[in-house]
Amino acid sequence: MSAAAPTKKPIRWLPLESNPEVLDKYVRDLGVPAPWRYADVMGLDEELLAFVPQPAHALILLFPITPKYETYVQQEKERIDKQGQTVSPNIVFYPQTIANACGTMGVLHSIANNWAHGGHLKLDDGGIMKKFLEKTVALTPAERATALEQDQSLANVHESHASTGQTATPDLADDVNLHYVCLVERDGHLYELDGNKPYPINHGISSKDTFLTDAVKVAKEFVGRDPENLNFSVIAATTAEEYDD
């Protein structure tokens, strides 16, 4: 899915599978070294969260776009436009203008906001991801979206991994109704980064120590808005050296 203003010639990518193994191989080819990796979150109950590899630095939520969700998004925008919100200048946000690229947007947001502005994440010098972030971090969100559209190296790596995984690869012309968003902590607040929305969403106070608990509360709100829909999954970005799949 994509919602930002399109370019003259619409760009479409094949969607990435919501599979930690696929995402790990994808980011290695982008120049994101271990121990950064992705792991399935098997459930949102407290006892299952104990199995999430620590430390967790981002959560990526995958869920279907439904009429209930679209209604909520509109109401949320009206509320924020009226009341305002605080967004840290250190948050790096990329609007999505490429159809079916939301998997890459989730991965990009998870990495950018753990690398930029003194973040802990180290990237390979000369790697595709580091070059792209160095080129775009200081730009406006709209300029970042244009830069992503024009980055053929990143597009090529995305394409090579979009055809891997355990599920059948959809046709390039298909509109995929599943959507990724990323949750990160930055400067003491929890943010939702969704390239289909006009800006980051501040979900309140958080910290590195409480990030997972705080992010799971937001994930539960997503589930609670459409409880009859079972097509919902969560992946954690972690720097745990070893973990069980």
Side-chain angles (χ1 to χ4, degrees):
M1 301 293 293
S2 65
T7 56
K8 293 180 181 179
K9 183 180 179 181
I11 301 173
R12 304 182 70 85
W13 287 2
L14 290 170
L16 282 176
E17 182 175 302
S18 174
N19 180 324
E21 183 178 354
V22 170
L23 298 184
D24 286 352
K25 291 177 180 178
Y26 175 45
V27 300
R28 294 294 174 269
D29 284 350
L30 292 175
V32 184
W36 183 270
R37 64 187 75 245
Y38 296 91
D40 281 319
V41 177
M42 304 310 296
L44 301 180
D45 295 331
E46 187 174 352
E47 60 270 19
L48 292 174
L49 293 179
F51 295 98
V52 177
Q54 296 289 342
H57 305 292
L59 283 191
I60 297 176
L61 315 182
L62 176 69
F63 57 94
I65 301 293
T66 66
K68 289 182 180 179
Y69 176 72
E70 291 177 329
T71 297
Y72 171 77
V73 169
Q74 181 59 36
Q75 293 171 343
E76 177 186 63
K77 182 180 184 302
E78 291 172 358
R79 173 179 56 81
I80 292 174
D81 288 348
K82 180 178 180 180
Q83 300 177 0
Q85 65 170 351
T86 299
V87 175
S88 168
N90 292 326
I91 277 288
V92 183
F93 177 66
Y94 291 83
Q96 182 182 339
T97 55
I98 302 171
N100 296 337
C102 51
T104 283
M105 303 306 295
V107 168
L108 177 60
H109 280 132
S110 73
I111 293 168
N113 286 284
N114 281 281
W115 173 82
H117 305 299
H120 66 91
L121 180 59
K122 305 301 180 185
L123 301 175
D124 290 343
D125 290 333
I128 292 170
M129 181 61 76
K130 188 170 186 179
K131 285 199 236 181
F132 178 73
L133 293 182
E134 287 177 336
K135 180 173 66 175
T136 59
V137 161
L139 301 179
T140 67
E143 290 169 339
R144 291 177 191 144
T146 299
L148 181 58
E149 292 177 354
Q150 298 172 346
D151 196 298
Q152 195 58 48
S153 295
L154 210 157
N156 290 342
V157 176
H158 174 102
E159 182 178 5
S160 71
H161 290 279
S163 58
T164 65
Q166 300 174 353
T167 57
T169 303
D171 188 271
L172 186 61
D174 292 342
D175 275 321
V176 176
N177 202 37
L178 293 173
H179 188 56
Y180 292 74
V181 303
C182 180
L183 300 173
V184 298
E185 182 274 334
R186 193 76 197 203
D187 298 333
H189 286 82
L190 178 70
Y191 292 96
E192 173 192 338
L193 302 171
D194 178 350
N196 275 5
K197 294 184 177 181
Y199 32 65
I201 307 297
N202 187 331
H203 283 285
I205 293 173
S206 186
S207 69
K208 289 180 173 53
D209 291 337
T210 65
F211 164 71
L212 182 60
T213 300
D214 298 332
V216 165
K217 289 179 182 177
V218 174
K220 287 180 176 179
E221 292 174 2
F222 274 77
V223 175
R225 284 192 286 268
D226 206 351
E228 296 177 358
N229 202 312
L230 302 179
N231 296 319
F232 189 97
S233 62
V234 182
I235 291 175
T238 176
T239 49
E241 291 287 348
E242 296 180 1
Y243 68 97
D244 294 325
D245 289 333

